[in-house]
Each structure stands twice: as C-alpha cells, then as structure tokens.
Amino acid sequence: MTAGELTKIVLNKEELFILDVRNQSDFDDWKIEGESVEIINIPYFDLLDSVDQALEQIPSDKRLLVVCAKEGSSKFVAEQLVEAGRTNVSYLEGGMKSWSEHLEPVKIGDLKDGGSLYQFVRIGKGCLSYMVISSSEAAVIDTFRMTDVFERFAREQGATIKHTLDTHLHADHISGGRKLAEQTGATYWLPPKDATEVTFPYEKLEEGRDITVGKTKIKIQPIYSPGHTVGSTSFIVDDEYLLTGDILFIESIGRPDLAGKAEDWVGDLRNTLYNRYKGLAQDLIVLPAHFGKVTELGEGGRVMARLSDLYRDNPGLNIQDEETFRRTVTVNLPPQPNAYQEIRQTNMGKITPNEDEQREMEIGPNRCAVHDK
Amino acid sequence: MNTDITVDTKGMACPMPIVKAKKALDSLQTGQVMEVLSTDKGSVKDFQAWVKQTNHELIQHVEEDGVYKFYVRKVYKISGTRKGPLISPRHIR
C-alpha cells in the first residue's frame, strides 16, 4: 500500500487495522492516526522467530497494514503473516518516511475572479501548505520541502508560480519556499523580523505590501501577527480567507517558545489573538499551517473554520485571564519538534543538510500548538 | 575490547542487522561479547530496544565514520519466544 492509498483510507474513514513494528519509543512518539484506524505496536525484533504473538492480537476479519520506519521490516513481518495463513495483508511502501512526506491537495474554494485556492495536506506530519491560483499565475504559501509536488500541480493547472511566501521562519519543517522560488523564477517572501540572520536575498513580507496573483489582483494582504515568532505574518486572501500560519489553529493556538523566547513573545501572542484578529471580519475562513489531531480534518481532508466559530470553540481563544494565558502558553508545553533548532538554522540558510539528513530532521509530529500533548 | 564474534551488517537495511545479530547471539555462550557493525542509522534505537527487551547487556555503542558499532554481552540463553509483555514496574507493589 502506498502513502497515497493510506491517505484515502484515513480521509474516507475506512476501517483499517495497523500493526506498527517499529520500536516502542518511536511508536509512542509518532504514529498513523485515523478515526477508523485501529493500531497496535509490536517491535519487529519480537516477531523474528514467530509471528504468533501478532496473530493473537490481530482481528482476522479486518484489512491489515504492517508499518515500519522505512519498509524493510514491515515487508519481512507481512510476509511471515501471509505464510502463517493471514490474508488481506499489506505493508506501507516507504514506511513512515513516505507517510511523513505524502501531500494530498484538496480544493478549498473558488476565488471571486474565477481563480481557486488549494490546501496541501501533509497528513502524516500535520502540516498544511496553500496555493492561490488566478489567471495562470500561482502563489505558494508555507511551501514544503517536496517542491516537485507544487511544480507539478501548478503545471497541471496551467499556472506559473510567481510568488512563494512563508508566514514565519519555520521550526518544525524545512521550508521549500526559497528552493521553489529558485527553481521557478518566483519571488520569495519572508517577514523581515524573522529574517535577521538569513544568508540569502528575499522580499520583505510586511503589512501594506499587498501581493497580487493573476490579472485581476487577487489580494494577499499581510497582517503582522507576532507571537509564534516575532515576525509571524498572516494573510487575507480575496477578502475571504485568513491564513494564520502557526498563530491560530482549529483546536489550538501557536506556541511561543520555539525560538527560545516564550516569556518575551507571550504578550505578542495574546495581543494578536485577543485584539488583532478580533478586529478582522469575523466571517473570514481560517486556514492554518497545521492541524494537531485527525479530528480537525473535515470533509475530504480540508482543515478550515470560520473565525467567529473559533472564538466560540477554540480553548486557546477563551482564556480571559492574562496570567492564566501566560501560564498556558509557557508552562507544560508539549515536547519540541524533532531537530527544531537545526531546522531553523536550515531555513535561515546557515546550514545545508543533504536530502537524507533533511528527511531525518523532519521525522515526527509537528508539535507547534499549545494543546497538542 | 575483547569480542568473541563480529557480525558485519554494513550496507544492510533493516531488519537484517538485527536478524543477523540475533542469529549470532544465539550461537554464543553466556558472558561472551558480540560486536555488530552497521551502517543503518535506524539500527541505533532498534539495538537499544532489542537488547533491553531480550535482557542482554549493551556494553557500548560508538559511531566511527558512519559505521555504528554495538557491543552486546550475552546474559542468559534465550529459550523460545517470550509472549506478552513483562510485568511493568508500576504493577509491582
């Protein structure tokens, strides 16, 4: 089974039983989730002599997927299970590595001039990218490292990528924004306050510098919204969509500690969430750069919600006491994303790991939200 | 370090390093030391987990020029496959 086929199963909420044969610490850290997915963990080295232990725990009437880090040991175990008489068994091609890298494009909606907005769901890692397409031009927001996916998609839509934008200097994944811009001749935009140490040229993403995509000026209006990082910038697209980066998610809010400045930035975060966004049109559709739980995936995998609904339902927007808010976003936060400091260095251009190293750095969940424990 | 057997799994992908190591360890006597060479980065966590699980002793693991070296002392002879988890510490009163 490929990561793409597994994605369809998860999004369609089809039943699947997963036997994850990685070691327990990796499994506890990060695993495949889905509303109709049942999963157990037995390390492959416990199944080398005999798979009896696994057979006892796997229901015989369900479709079975064996999963490991890369592919080898899941294939090995799946073969043993078939030999032992199990049917309807597959292994995940490319393992958790390919699960981490799979992107599923879903259409969010049409734009007023006939263009469209797409969301790219990186389902294994909980990250989201966007593409605004209008009159044969495209802008990509919070691009992933797998830039070929965006290039191919734009080509299929008959569009040329003109702009790549990062809402902030990411700490959980390596940005493909600069690389995609270099490959396509597009302009790369980054908030200047997050770019003080970068080693490459970029355009300053600042309030007041609207970006147009297509002939009819689809407006990408930057809103300075610090808190996750000092430069964090949101966008309003087509007066209808609010792209919040890592500041506001569907069921949580951004964490302010990934650049080591939780105490300094907690005030900014509160101001952005409780004042700045309050002043925007409340019927804007919020499109974040992450989801934390599979329950945030809506129809077809879309991650979106009305701003007014978030002010009603999101616990992070309903902490009235400032001191409680400060404690919530600075104390007892989830563990930081894997290799987050090296990822920041990479995104600044200070270090240049090879592709395998980059892949390794990104393994694991995104952990950019306060409430994802 | 004095070793009784060296298992070279360089260039092999998971699960082969552990498959080979397990086979070699089965042939050793209690107290003997096995050296395993691997170039598979994923083998580091797997070896630690495997040795812990099987109650042998991981004396040391080092990395030299992209080669991971594991030194495992055989603590007792494995008899058959263990079924079900060991009692976890929180259940011991």
Side-chain angles (χ1 to χ4, degrees):
Chain A
M1 187 183 291
T2 63
E5 289 163 346
L6 176 57
T7 301
K8 294 275 188 285
I9 289 175
V10 170
L11 296 185
N12 296 334
K13 306 186 196 326
E14 290 170 36
E15 285 200 351
L16 181 68
F17 193 91
I18 298 179
L19 169 62
D20 190 323
V21 298
R22 292 174 300 155
N23 65 62
Q24 197 194 335
S25 62
D26 287 347
F27 176 79
D28 289 346
D29 195 36
W30 176 52
K31 57 180 170 287
I32 294 166
E33 291 170 68
E35 279 180 48
S36 301
V37 168
E38 218 181 312
I39 188 163
I40 59 166
N41 171 231
I42 307 174
Y44 69 90
F45 46 72
D46 281 351
L47 301 169
L48 293 179
D49 286 334
S50 151
V51 291
D52 290 353
Q53 192 195 150
L55 286 169
E56 285 166 15
Q57 296 182 52
I58 301 166
S60 55
D61 56 333
K62 275 194 180 173
R63 189 171 183 186
L64 174 68
L65 178 69
V66 189
V67 170
C68 67
K70 279 176 270 184
E71 177 175 298
S73 48
S74 65
K75 198 172 170 183
F76 183 91
V77 170
E79 280 164 3
Q80 307 276 315
L81 288 166
V82 171
E83 265 176 46
R86 262 304 306 242
T87 50
N88 214 354
V89 184
S90 337
Y91 66 91
L92 179 61
E93 288 174 34
M96 290 302 277
K97 287 201 172 194
S98 75
W99 181 239
S100 168
E101 293 186 351
H102 180 74
L103 305 186
E104 191 73 16
V106 288
K107 188 171 174 179
I108 292 294
D110 292 321
L111 303 178
K112 294 185 183 91
D113 78 333
S116 351
L117 176 61
Y118 288 88
Q119 185 177 53
F120 289 74
V121 182
R122 189 172 176 183
I123 188 165
K125 202 170 158 61
C127 300
L128 303 164
S129 285
Y130 296 89
M131 192 183 288
V132 178
I133 302 175
S134 168
S135 308
S136 309
E137 290 190 4
V140 186
I141 295 141
D142 289 331
T143 318
F144 302 127
R145 182 167 56 77
M146 295 69 81
T147 51
D148 53 325
V149 178
F150 299 97
E151 278 194 84
R152 195 167 57 235
F153 191 82
R155 203 162 48 236
E156 283 165 10
Q157 304 291 320
T160 309
I161 297 170
K162 291 285 184 186
H163 303 279
T164 68
L165 303 78
D166 270 320
T167 50
H168 62 288
L169 189 81
H170 296 280
D172 64 298
H173 68 271
I174 293 164
S175 169
R178 181 162 52 107
K179 185 172 145 203
L180 183 61
E182 280 166 11
Q183 284 166 350
T184 60
T187 307
Y188 177 55
W189 299 76
L190 186 65
K193 287 188 177 170
D194 278 3
T196 50
E197 294 176 59
V198 304
T199 59
F200 46 81
Y202 68 98
E203 277 301 315
K204 290 179 181 168
L205 188 65
E206 288 173 308
E207 246 182 80
R209 287 190 82 182
D210 293 357
I211 298 164
T212 60
V213 184
K215 292 194 195 82
T216 50
K217 298 193 179 176
I218 297 299
K219 192 165 73 173
I220 296 183
Q221 179 193 352
I223 306 282
Y224 179 51
S225 50
H228 178 66
T229 63
V230 68
S232 287
T233 300
S234 311
F235 312 116
I236 295 175
V237 175
D238 209 26
D239 295 322
E240 189 174 358
Y241 301 100
L242 174 64
L243 276 66
T244 52
D246 282 7
I247 290 290
L248 175 61
F249 308 115
I250 303 300
E251 293 183 9
S252 187
I253 56 175
R255 59 193 285 171
D257 66 316
L258 293 182
K261 298 197 175 153
E263 298 291 333
D264 295 358
W265 294 352
V266 58
D268 284 343
L269 183 64
R270 184 163 177 92
N271 187 42
T272 293
L273 292 174
Y274 286 75
N275 299 319
R276 201 80 232 264
Y277 281 180
K278 266 248 161 87
L280 302 175
Q282 295 299 294
D283 59 351
L284 286 167
I285 305 286
V286 171
L287 296 169
H290 291 296
F291 64 91
K293 308 188 194 100
V294 284
T295 51
E296 293 176 39
L297 294 169
E299 195 199 332
R302 289 173 193 81
V303 180
M304 59 199 283
R306 207 164 285 280
L307 185 57
S308 55
D309 291 343
L310 294 189
Y311 272 109
R312 191 189 60 215
D313 300 331
N314 189 319
L317 292 180
N318 286 287
I319 307 171
Q320 298 319 322
D321 178 54
E322 279 199 42
E323 179 54 26
T324 311
F325 181 85
R326 198 189 63 78
R327 274 201 313 274
T328 305
V329 300
T330 57
V331 182
N332 293 326
L333 286 173
Q336 279 132 343
N338 188 45
Y340 73 104
Q341 277 153 331
E342 290 82 3
I343 289 174
R344 284 171 45 81
Q345 301 276 316
T346 307
N347 285 336
M348 287 188 233
K350 287 183 167 179
I351 56 171
T352 315
N354 67 34
E355 184 142 354
D356 272 351
E357 290 165 338
Q358 294 192 15
R359 184 177 285 146
E360 192 67 34
M361 284 157 69
E362 282 192 345
I363 280 293
N366 69 71
R367 291 190 180 133
C368 284
V370 166
H371 298 98
D372 299 337
K373 298 250 161 94
Chain B
M1 190 178 303
N2 284 329
T3 54
D4 297 287
I5 193 168
T6 294
V7 183
D8 186 352
T9 71
K10 290 199 292 286
M12 290 182 194
C14 178
M16 292 321 286
I18 296 237
V19 170
K20 298 271 182 195
K22 184 179 183 304
K23 208 171 167 190
L25 198 72
D26 286 348
S27 74
L28 292 186
Q29 303 294 317
T30 299
Q32 287 188 311
V33 175
M34 166 178 75
E35 177 188 48
V36 184
L37 311 176
S38 165
T39 48
D40 180 20
K41 202 176 173 194
S43 66
V44 178
K45 272 191 182 172
D46 282 5
F47 260 93
Q48 289 169 338
W50 172 64
V51 173
K52 198 174 161 202
Q53 176 91 343
T54 48
N55 288 328
H56 295 292
E57 184 192 349
L58 183 61
I59 305 166
Q60 196 185 0
H61 75 96
V62 290
E63 188 199 343
E64 276 171 27
D65 302 328
V67 178
Y68 302 92
K69 298 181 179 179
F70 305 95
Y71 296 93
V72 182
R73 180 180 287 124
K74 180 158 176 167
V75 171
Y76 72 98
K77 198 171 187 305
I78 311 167
S79 54
T81 310
R82 188 181 58 76
K83 287 188 180 174
L86 292 167
I87 297 170
S88 67
R90 68 173 186 275
H91 291 126
I92 301 169
R93 291 275 187 270

